[in-house]
Amino acid sequence: MVEKEEVKVVNRGLEDEMEVWGYRPCGWKLVLVGLGTLCSGGLLLLLLYWLPKWRVKSTSTCCSLRDAQTLLLRTTDEFRTWFCVKVHVMLASGRNPFDTVDLQSSASGDVASTSELQPEPIRHFTHQSLRFFWNDTLQNFDTLKGVEDLCVTCDSIHSEYCSGLSKALQDYRRLFFGVNEIAVRVPSLFKLLIKEVLNPFYIFQLFSVILWSAEEYYYYAAAIVFMSVISIATSLYTIKKQYVMLHDMVAAHSVVRVSVCRGDKEIVEAMSTDLVPGDIIAIPANGMVMPCDAVLVSGTCIVNESMLTGESVPVTKTSLPSAGAESHSIYSTEQHKRHTLFCGTDIIQTRFYTGELVKALVVRTGFCTEKGQLVRSILYPKPTDFKLYRDAYLFLLCLVGVAGIGFVYTIILSILNKVPAKTIIIESLDIITITVPPALPAAMTAGIVYAQRRLKRAGIFCISPQRINICGQLNLVCFDKTGTLTEDGLDLWAIQRAENSSFCLPEQEPDKDALVQSAFVACMATCHSLTKIDGQLSGDPLDLKMFQATGWILEEATEEETSLHNPIMPTVVRPPKQPAPDVNITPEQSMELYELPCSYEIGIVRQFPFSSALQRMSVVARQLGGKYMEAYLKGAPEVVASLCKQATVPTNFSQVLEDYTSQGFRVIALAYRRLESKFTWHRVQTLDRDHIESNMEFLGLVIMQNKLKAETPGILEDLRKANIRTVMVTGDNMLTAVSVARDCGMIGSNERVIIADAVPPKSGHTAKINWHYTDSPRPLANKDSRFQVVDIESHDHNCEDQPRKKEKFHFAMTGRSLSTVIEHFPDLVPKLVLHGTVFARMAPDQKTQLIEILQSVDYFVGMCGDGANDCGALKRAHSGISLSELEASVASPFTSTTSNISCVPSLIREGRAALITSFCVFKFMALYSIIQYISVTLLYSILSNLGDFQFLFIDVAIILIIAFTMSLNPATKELVPDRPPSSLISGPLLFSVLTQILVCLGFQALAFFLVKSQLWYEIWTPQSDACNSSSSAFSMDTNVTNPHEHKNIKNYENTTLFYVSSFQYLIVAIVFSKGKPFRQPTYKNWPFVMSTLSLYIFLFLIMLYPISAIDNFLEIVCVPHEWRSAMVIMIVMNAVVSTLIETLVLDIVLRRLVFTQDKMESHRVASAAQHSQSANDRWGRAFLIWLCCLRGKTPQARYMNLAQELQDDPEWPPKPQTCTQNRACRLSVTL
């Protein structure tokens, strides 16, 4: 055993965290494994190939990581996946790529002079395309990501890392970071073939074929080999195609020529594969596709990041701040996204100054880049955690157990009958191949493949087919608001300027002449990130709509214009109609910008891009001819107001803002500040935004109207009726989000909304949560207040508390409040998300965090967004759906080309259909193996078996055709309230399988023993003539063929069981192939209907009207007509009993009980508890609960458990106007 203290953890705290153990080879263990391999004929080697943990343990002994030659890795997630890697050693001049090493090269640039340095051995290993190096300080292996490992500040990057690397230092660092390439190696067909063939399933197939060949079942063995070859070829083609597609996607533009800075002046051309972290590259004016992650240190870039985010709107990237408070922060690609150019993104154009280049510092290369991590997630996906697949393996183990019983039974029976040893071995092993169906994996996959094709026809593309089944279990869907529930574009509804600390009346036309020179319009015209691409304005839709509302014109300096001047030529905005000039220019005035005093134009000097964390953006601008610079700010009203002088903010600001947001308007606040004359252009470039964005003057509000998409309310209503909970996750204002939630139907007209306003601890006060009840449609006691004021102490025992408990309620909170609750009130988190419907002002990482919280209480969570800020949440959810025009996006498993949420119910319907199809196919294949197992076991008792062509007919003509056609049932056209079960080990499914097994066993046993009791029965010989000895009206020839006495195939028992079992396969196929409620009726699946009808007709034909040629081929003997009629009666009775059990008992009685338990949603628990039931229903339900031992059984899902607990909690939900502090008590406050 490995000692606990020898276990180390790599990538601690990250998604791919792993435990690691060290091992070194052990000679005597290797010898034992070699002997075991020889004795087992290579089987031991196969087992060790499948089990990496035991492969390492059986050949090596544990040791410290420092001395290890082999490492055993295990993921710390719920899958606990094992990996085995080899440790390699390389020689380098230093132990760290960023160490100061004397690498003075010769004049020629050759690094041969470094040979005089004493090389140091560096231990490392590679796992899933990432390299891990031994760290003496940590005494553990660690990854090297790039410049971020240095934890350098932004100003340090400007002062210490902007000169670039020498060729020698670049070569040294490349030893550690490797070639800058996201290499997707397309494996050869031979390697893929070996890997595919060594799959346990195909090894079992090989074992079966060898066994059948030994039994001289050549035709059946050949058929299985043929099907296996087709399956392997199809699999190899699919895998190869996926590798080639991924390789082509990654390889496109991945290797380009770049300009690398060596020192301050020297620029050399190099291949992008040579880049290492620390290199300085020059971005060409006409743009490029980034081959690495790099941070801008000078200039500005317009970037298309659609490859990463699915968002086609160009983004402006500015240079990293070199001065101010922000410059002292540690550089991080996550926090400094607006300054970082990510690998794979397309730089459309650059902005630069004359004499200066647009430069960027390489921070990450290869698979460490943002694009590299996305490719890694595709190359090495996490296992799909779905109960269906785990239960499938458990069910197969049960079948193996049944096979073991048959194995022992066959051996004992054969010994008692003195059967030769060779026959005993072959027949006992044969029972195992019968019990485990060889076509199960292919049949299970068929339903998913068909569903994927139907989704593609509906405009939904899938890069993770296994998630289609999981979509069938979704019971909660999170929606982004803007662009998802509402229209992409915002319409300007009005502006409301503020003057003298009060609001003016709303105005509809900001472009009127009276406002042309106002600071309000100037802010609308300048505070944006718009740019011109091919002569067309491009940028954020909100910026675009606001700028177009002013009617102004944007002009950007061309490359020729900037070359004429040393100072910057700014982006200029101006009104279309120039007012009369009112500017007096003095000769002493210092004009840094090249202005034209006769025109009213504003030049944008510096831009601070919009930050979702800060919820604002700002620019510094100057009127051409003006003496002062102005700072313009726009953003979330609450944020902007907090940055303004309080004297300039209207006293009724909160009231006016609430009036607009409660009506569903999106509100943007504007502010400005006149900078002192000492602020020159160079001074402005070095200031941090906190210095600029302070002491602003409040200008007013821009009211934008964001209309609901026409499809949104209807689709959300469909989801509500289907018991699928809906949640809004948005970056917009809280009350705006609540209003939209009411408009679209997420929140009912008579349902309460409780705002949880969590305040973090500060100034010695503990953290607290203030609970506010928003307006209800019903009249309140205090009509003048937006909040219901209730004195808690006087209402603790009031009768009004009961009605309040009965009405439905929803929690709403901001991202800041959610973070505070998670940190200071962790016990309240599950309670809040149980009824949380609106989450506003959510940053991208908070959206991801919310998805994880919902999953932690056992919700199956879907996420639907436009792909812009939702990438993390889309990838984290069980089913992420990106609304994008791209055919496929790496941001989410599913991508819909339709721009509305109609794809969500379509995906859920197809998921439910695919899931039910998987259950149907699995049950059918399980019954197929058990029915055949019963037939063979009964025939073994008389030393007989099914014939070669009988096996062939059953497995090919019946099973394969039925299994692949029963998967073709399309999804139903409407969502139903029920959800399919997620587990094979559930009451209804187990009841269905077990009862059908008993029915089949009963009728086969009945036929087997009944045929022996017939008067005409005798031990069959080639001379037997049971047909002529009966009173049958038919005159038939005796089936005389060459006898196979050693197999004893031809006999009355064999013929009887062949007919009965053949019909049983068709009966269970029809019984299991259900349509409603999740799939369309079976009769609409015409391939399945035609197949079953054809097989029924054929079987009845050969049974009632025997054909000599077919009888000889299938080795069937002639039986009297009366017995054929008796078999028809048994077959009909079998069909009736199977149908009644599956339909009457399971669907009407048991499923009602189980589904009622299963579909209970947390947001409906309170109301469901109040519904009255009839006496019959109540007593019937109570009896079934007692019968199935479900009394007192708690729901499996945590959210159901929690909902039941909260039903009886008199203190939940919190009463209005209360405050929950960071301790066990709740206090009453007056707000």
Side-chain angles (χ1 to χ4, degrees):
M1 289 293 294
V2 178
E3 298 294 335
K4 186 175 181 181
E5 60 268 20
E6 294 175 339
V7 181
K8 297 281 188 178
V9 177
V10 295
N11 293 337
R12 186 181 293 275
L14 301 179
E15 188 177 357
D16 51 354
E17 180 181 277
M18 294 178 293
E19 295 173 323
V20 57
W21 292 266
Y23 288 85
R24 59 168 174 259
C26 176
W28 64 270
K29 286 187 176 182
L30 287 169
V31 171
L32 284 180
V33 169
L35 290 174
T37 302
L38 290 174
C39 295
S40 63
L43 182 60
L44 177 61
L45 210 58
L46 269 176
L47 289 174
L48 296 181
Y49 170 77
W50 294 330
L51 303 170
K53 174 184 176 182
W54 295 107
R55 180 167 77 247
V56 174
K57 286 180 176 290
S58 61
T59 57
S60 308
T61 55
C62 64
C63 64
S64 65
L65 289 185
R66 187 183 186 89
D67 303 321
Q69 297 181 35
T70 302
L71 299 178
L72 196 57
L73 307 173
R74 185 179 68 179
T75 60
T76 57
D77 55 19
E78 66 272 25
F79 305 106
R80 300 285 178 173
T81 309
W82 291 91
F83 300 96
C84 169
V85 295
K86 292 290 183 182
V87 177
H88 302 279
V89 178
M90 73 175 187
L91 298 178
S93 303
R95 304 201 66 83
N96 189 295
F98 300 107
D99 283 345
T100 303
V101 180
D102 184 14
L103 291 172
Q104 295 297 325
S105 61
S106 60
S108 63
D110 191 4
V111 295
S113 58
T114 61
S115 61
E116 298 177 2
L117 299 172
Q118 185 65 32
E120 297 189 44
I122 308 294
R123 302 171 61 78
H124 67 95
F125 70 90
T126 302
H127 175 63
Q128 293 185 345
S129 301
L130 282 185
R131 299 178 79 182
F132 295 76
F133 290 87
W134 178 255
N135 188 314
D136 282 322
T137 305
L138 300 175
Q139 287 295 297
N140 195 1
F141 287 93
D142 196 15
T143 55
L144 295 174
K145 295 180 180 177
V147 172
E148 287 176 283
D149 294 334
L150 297 173
C151 297
V152 292
T153 59
C154 298
D155 56 355
S156 297
I157 288 178
H158 281 280
S159 60
E160 300 175 21
Y161 297 91
C162 281
S163 58
L165 305 177
S166 66
K167 181 69 167 60
L169 190 55
Q170 186 189 56
D171 292 340
Y172 168 68
R173 288 192 180 178
R174 197 177 300 113
L175 290 174
F176 294 87
F177 293 106
V179 176
N180 175 36
E181 185 181 12
I182 303 173
V184 178
R185 311 291 182 195
V186 180
S188 65
L189 279 175
F190 179 74
K191 286 185 177 179
L192 289 175
L193 177 63
I194 295 300
K195 188 175 181 180
E196 188 74 13
V197 168
L198 290 181
N199 184 293
F201 167 70
Y202 288 116
I203 295 298
F204 179 73
Q205 290 275 47
L206 179 63
F207 163 75
S208 302
V209 167
I210 294 173
L211 185 65
W212 294 327
S213 299
E215 291 184 276
E216 299 181 12
Y217 290 161
Y218 298 120
Y219 295 104
Y220 184 56
I224 292 297
V225 168
F226 176 75
M227 288 189 294
S228 298
V229 169
I230 295 296
S231 176
I232 291 173
T234 305
S235 178
L236 290 182
Y237 172 77
T238 304
I239 295 172
K240 182 84 171 180
K241 183 180 178 181
Q242 289 174 347
Y243 268 110
V244 170
M245 287 178 63
L246 184 60
H247 175 270
D248 292 345
M249 181 190 80
V250 173
H253 311 293
S254 62
V255 179
V256 296
R257 294 197 68 82
V258 292
S259 299
V260 182
C261 301
R262 306 271 189 225
D264 293 330
K265 300 294 182 182
E266 184 184 0
I267 304 291
V268 298
E269 293 292 317
M271 298 303 296
S272 59
T273 51
D274 295 334
L275 294 175
V276 296
D279 272 328
I280 296 291
I281 59 174
I283 311 296
N286 58 348
M288 64 184 293
V289 176
M290 284 301 295
C292 59
D293 286 355
V295 59
L296 269 175
V297 292
S298 65
T300 305
C301 292
I302 310 298
V303 185
N304 184 343
E305 294 187 329
S306 60
M307 195 283 298
L308 293 178
T309 65
E311 178 75 9
S312 58
V313 175
V315 180
T316 301
K317 303 280 186 174
T318 58
S319 59
L320 197 68
S322 58
E326 192 178 355
S327 67
H328 301 311
S329 62
I330 301 296
Y331 171 74
S332 160
T333 53
E334 184 63 31
Q335 294 181 4
H336 297 90
K337 279 184 177 180
R338 285 291 182 177
H339 313 294
T340 305
L341 307 172
F342 292 106
C343 178
T345 58
D346 186 11
I347 298 176
I348 302 170
Q349 64 183 38
T350 63
R351 304 278 182 77
F352 56 93
Y353 320 138
T354 302
E356 293 190 33
L357 297 172
V358 177
K359 295 181 181 179
L361 170 71
V362 177
V363 292
R364 296 187 300 196
T365 59
F367 278 99
C368 293
T369 62
E370 199 77 11
K371 180 180 177 181
Q373 291 173 26
L374 283 174
V375 173
R376 283 185 67 241
S377 69
I378 299 173
L379 280 174
Y380 313 106
K382 274 194 170 185
T384 305
D385 181 26
F386 193 39
K387 215 169 185 311
L388 169 66
Y389 305 119
R390 284 178 282 158
D391 290 346
Y393 289 118
L394 185 60
F395 206 94
L396 283 176
L397 286 177
C398 293
L399 292 180
V400 171
V402 172
I405 296 172
F407 180 80
V408 174
Y409 163 79
T410 305
I411 292 176
I412 294 173
L413 189 66
S414 300
I415 291 174
L416 292 177
N417 288 279
K418 298 180 180 180
V419 176
K422 179 184 176 183
T423 306
I424 293 176
I425 295 172
I426 291 175
E427 289 189 347
S428 56
L429 290 176
D430 190 34
I431 203 77
I432 298 175
T433 67
I434 290 170
T435 312
V436 182
L440 179 61
M444 290 281 287
T445 306
I448 298 176
V449 172
Y450 297 148
Q452 188 176 7
R453 289 179 180 175
R454 290 193 295 267
L455 286 173
K456 190 173 182 179
R457 286 197 295 269
I460 302 173
F461 297 90
C462 173
I463 62 171
S464 180
Q466 294 300 325
R467 287 182 183 256
I468 296 176
N469 271 342
I470 302 179
C471 293
Q473 279 296 301
L474 292 184
N475 52 8
L476 186 148
V477 183
C478 295
F479 293 96
D480 183 31
K481 183 179 77 69
T482 306
T484 304
L485 298 175
T486 60
E487 296 288 351
D488 273 320
L490 294 168
D491 295 322
L492 182 70
W493 185 79
I495 63 171
Q496 191 158 9
R497 295 181 296 122
E499 292 181 357
N500 301 322
S501 301
S502 63
F503 280 113
C504 302
L505 293 174
E507 299 168 88
Q508 305 291 333
E509 300 175 356
D511 58 344
K512 59 186 179 182
D513 293 343
L515 299 178
V516 167
Q517 295 195 49
S518 66
F520 191 97
V521 172
C523 184
M524 290 179 65
T526 58
C527 197
H528 53 71
S529 57
L530 300 177
T531 186
K532 277 193 173 181
I533 299 174
D534 297 329
Q536 296 293 321
L537 273 179
S538 181
D540 184 86
L542 186 144
D543 288 348
L544 196 58
K545 190 65 71 172
M546 284 180 60
F547 182 77
Q548 289 173 344
T550 65
W552 284 35
I553 298 169
L554 181 141
E555 295 177 347
E556 291 179 335
T558 63
E559 185 176 350
E560 292 76 11
E561 289 173 331
T562 56
S563 65
L564 300 176
H565 308 280
N566 274 330
I568 180 176
M569 283 293 290
T571 297
V572 173
V573 293
R574 60 178 175 82
K577 298 177 182 179
Q578 290 294 340
D582 57 354
V583 181
N584 296 319
I585 307 300
T586 63
E588 294 79 18
Q589 183 175 353
S590 174
M591 302 281 289
E592 284 187 286
L593 301 175
Y594 288 79
E595 61 280 274
L596 298 173
C598 62
S599 63
Y600 181 69
E601 298 180 352
I602 300 177
I604 301 172
V605 176
R606 190 178 179 193
Q607 181 188 99
F608 297 98
F610 175 79
S611 165
S612 57
L614 300 176
Q615 298 180 358
R616 64 182 187 265
M617 78 162 291
S618 61
V619 296
V620 176
R622 180 172 177 178
Q623 180 186 338
L624 300 188
K627 190 174 183 180
Y628 301 95
M629 292 189 183
E630 288 91 15
Y632 295 101
L633 171 74
K634 77 171 180 186
E638 307 93 334
V639 174
V640 171
S642 68
L643 298 173
C644 292
K645 300 173 184 176
Q646 289 306 304
T648 66
V649 180
T651 54
N652 62 339
F653 167 79
S654 298
Q655 179 74 28
V656 172
L657 175 61
E658 191 174 331
D659 283 338
Y660 285 125
T661 54
S662 62
Q663 296 176 60
F665 290 109
R666 182 168 183 180
V667 183
I668 306 295
L670 307 182
Y672 98 112
R673 170 189 171 192
R674 175 171 287 184
L675 303 179
E676 297 84 351
S677 58
K678 63 181 180 180
F679 285 100
T680 63
W681 179 87
H682 290 288
R683 177 95 182 267
V684 166
Q685 301 305 315
T686 59
L687 286 175
D688 66 304
R689 69 187 301 167
D690 291 333
H691 188 89
I692 297 290
E693 298 169 348
S694 61
N695 295 319
M696 310 290 285
E697 293 184 24
F698 189 80
L699 290 175
L701 304 174
V702 177
I703 301 99
M704 313 290 289
Q705 189 174 24
N706 194 196
K707 298 178 182 177
L708 279 176
K709 291 182 178 178
E711 302 85 0
T712 297
I715 292 168
L716 293 181
E717 176 65 14
D718 291 341
L719 294 177
R720 186 189 66 79
K721 289 179 178 177
N723 287 339
I724 296 172
R725 186 179 156 198
T726 54
V727 173
M728 182 187 296
V729 188
T730 177
D732 208 344
N733 174 276
M734 166 70 75
L735 294 179
T736 301
V738 171
S739 174
V740 172
R742 284 198 187 277
D743 292 342
C744 68
M746 276 190 185
I747 299 173
S749 57
N750 295 318
E751 296 170 355
R752 288 280 188 186
V753 176
I754 305 173
I755 295 179
D757 182 19
V759 182
K762 61 179 179 180
S763 304
H765 298 286
T766 60
K768 63 180 180 179
I769 305 176
N770 297 315
W771 307 97
H772 305 298
Y773 278 46
T774 63
D775 273 342
S776 171
R778 292 169 292 179
L780 298 178
N782 186 355
K783 294 182 181 178
D784 297 329
S785 175
R786 286 272 159 184
F787 301 117
Q788 184 179 13
V789 181
V790 178
D791 181 30
I792 304 307
E793 295 178 352
S794 64
H795 283 75
D796 277 348
H797 304 286
N798 197 303
C799 62
E800 288 183 8
D801 194 41
Q802 273 307 107
R804 183 183 68 84
K805 286 285 290 182
K806 287 186 177 181
E807 63 187 13
K808 283 201 63 176
F809 62 92
H810 303 262
F811 285 116
M813 67 185 74
T814 62
R816 181 180 67 88
S817 294
L818 179 64
S819 298
T820 303
V821 171
I822 291 171
E823 183 176 357
H824 300 286
F825 304 89
D827 57 318
L828 288 182
V829 174
K831 298 180 180 181
L832 287 173
V833 300
L834 188 68
H835 289 272
T837 301
V838 175
F839 296 87
R841 296 297 187 205
M842 296 284 283
D845 58 325
Q846 290 172 332
K847 293 183 180 182
T848 306
Q849 195 173 25
L850 175 63
I851 297 293
E852 293 173 343
I853 293 170
L854 291 167
Q855 290 173 334
S856 70
V857 292
D858 296 336
Y859 275 112
F860 281 89
V861 185
M863 173 71 196
C864 182
D866 57 9
N869 294 316
D870 309 318
C871 291
L874 289 168
K875 292 171 67 178
R876 180 69 64 184
H878 289 108
S879 171
I881 314 162
S882 173
L883 304 184
S884 171
E885 294 181 359
L886 303 176
E887 181 173 305
S889 170
V890 292
S892 65
F894 300 94
T895 303
S896 173
T897 54
T898 56
S899 59
N900 57 65
I901 62 172
S902 61
C903 59
V904 175
S906 298
L907 185 59
I908 294 175
R909 285 189 289 104
E910 288 295 348
R912 288 179 172 183
L915 183 56
I916 286 297
T917 297
S918 296
F919 284 133
C920 292
V921 171
F922 196 95
K923 287 173 15 178
F924 172 69
M925 296 301 288
L927 259 295
Y928 144 64
S929 62
I930 294 297
I931 290 171
Q932 197 169 84
Y933 172 79
I934 293 170
S935 302
V936 171
T937 305
L938 289 172
L939 290 174
Y940 274 6
S941 66
I942 60 169
L943 303 182
S944 180
N945 200 350
L946 291 174
D948 192 2
F949 290 105
Q950 289 175 343
F951 275 122
L952 193 65
F953 174 78
I954 292 170
D955 291 343
V956 177
I958 297 180
I959 302 305
L960 286 183
I961 292 175
I962 295 299
F964 284 101
T965 56
M966 73 187 302
S967 303
L968 289 170
N969 270 38
T972 184
K973 294 184 178 180
E974 61 179 19
L975 279 175
V976 294
D978 294 335
R979 279 191 300 127
S982 61
S983 170
L984 279 170
I985 315 299
S986 64
L989 291 173
L990 285 179
F991 178 85
S992 173
V993 171
L994 292 176
T995 52
Q996 295 298 337
I997 289 175
L998 291 176
V999 170
C1000 293
L1001 173 62
F1003 279 98
Q1004 280 204 50
L1006 176 66
F1008 180 77
F1009 292 110
L1010 201 57
V1011 70
K1012 290 185 174 184
S1013 65
Q1014 299 301 306
L1015 296 176
W1016 49 264
Y1017 176 81
E1018 62 179 355
I1019 297 177
W1020 187 89
T1021 64
Q1023 289 74 37
S1024 297
D1025 192 6
C1027 294
N1028 292 334
S1029 64
S1030 69
S1031 57
S1032 171
F1034 305 112
S1035 176
M1036 308 188 64
D1037 295 330
T1038 304
N1039 295 330
V1040 180
T1041 60
N1042 294 326
H1044 294 270
E1045 296 177 1
H1046 63 289
K1047 289 187 177 182
N1048 190 22
I1049 302 300
K1050 287 191 169 186
N1051 53 64
Y1052 299 118
E1053 294 91 338
N1054 171 286
T1055 299
T1056 300
L1057 290 183
F1058 171 74
Y1059 280 131
V1060 172
S1061 64
S1062 294
F1063 279 104
Q1064 283 181 338
Y1065 299 128
L1066 297 178
I1067 290 169
V1068 295
I1070 293 172
V1071 166
F1072 288 157
S1073 184
K1074 297 174 184 176
K1076 291 184 177 182
F1078 306 111
R1079 303 194 302 172
Q1080 291 187 23
T1082 304
Y1083 65 78
K1084 291 189 176 183
N1085 182 0
W1086 63 266
F1088 175 74
V1089 172
M1090 294 299 295
S1091 300
T1092 50
L1093 279 178
S1094 300
L1095 287 168
Y1096 264 120
I1097 293 170
F1098 176 77
L1099 287 171
F1100 273 121
L1101 179 65
I1102 65 172
M1103 186 173 73
L1104 297 177
Y1105 303 96
I1107 300 171
S1108 179
I1110 294 177
D1111 286 356
N1112 289 334
F1113 179 77
L1114 293 175
E1115 299 180 87
I1116 296 171
V1117 300
C1118 184
V1119 294
H1121 181 71
E1122 290 84 353
W1123 181 239
R1124 297 177 190 274
S1125 302
M1127 284 193 291
V1128 170
I1129 293 172
M1130 284 188 285
I1131 290 165
V1132 171
M1133 289 175 59
N1134 189 341
V1136 170
V1137 173
S1138 294
T1139 305
L1140 286 176
I1141 288 176
E1142 189 74 15
T1143 305
L1144 183 64
V1145 179
L1146 180 66
D1147 289 355
I1148 296 179
V1149 181
L1150 281 181
R1151 191 205 272 184
R1152 182 177 182 184
L1153 169 66
V1154 176
F1155 272 152
T1156 305
Q1157 296 272 336
D1158 186 56
K1159 73 179 181 181
M1160 182 176 59
E1161 296 292 335
S1162 62
H1163 67 296
R1164 300 182 181 276
V1165 169
S1167 59
Q1170 299 159 15
H1171 290 166
S1172 61
Q1173 293 178 321
S1174 65
N1176 290 338
D1177 185 49
R1178 186 164 58 249
W1179 283 104
R1181 179 177 172 79
F1183 173 74
L1184 287 171
I1185 289 176
W1186 173 83
L1187 186 65
C1188 298
C1189 303
L1190 291 176
R1191 182 174 297 280
K1193 182 180 177 182
T1194 58
Q1196 292 183 351
R1198 289 185 59 198
Y1199 70 88
M1200 293 183 187
N1201 253 330
L1202 186 60
Q1204 286 186 349
E1205 293 173 9
L1206 293 180
Q1207 276 186 14
D1208 303 322
D1209 186 355
E1211 297 298 322
W1212 194 262
K1215 298 179 178 67
Q1217 302 306 99
T1218 58
C1219 169
T1220 302
Q1221 294 189 350
N1222 192 11
R1223 59 178 188 267
C1225 63
R1226 291 178 179 175
L1227 303 178
S1228 172
V1229 297
T1230 303
L1231 296 181

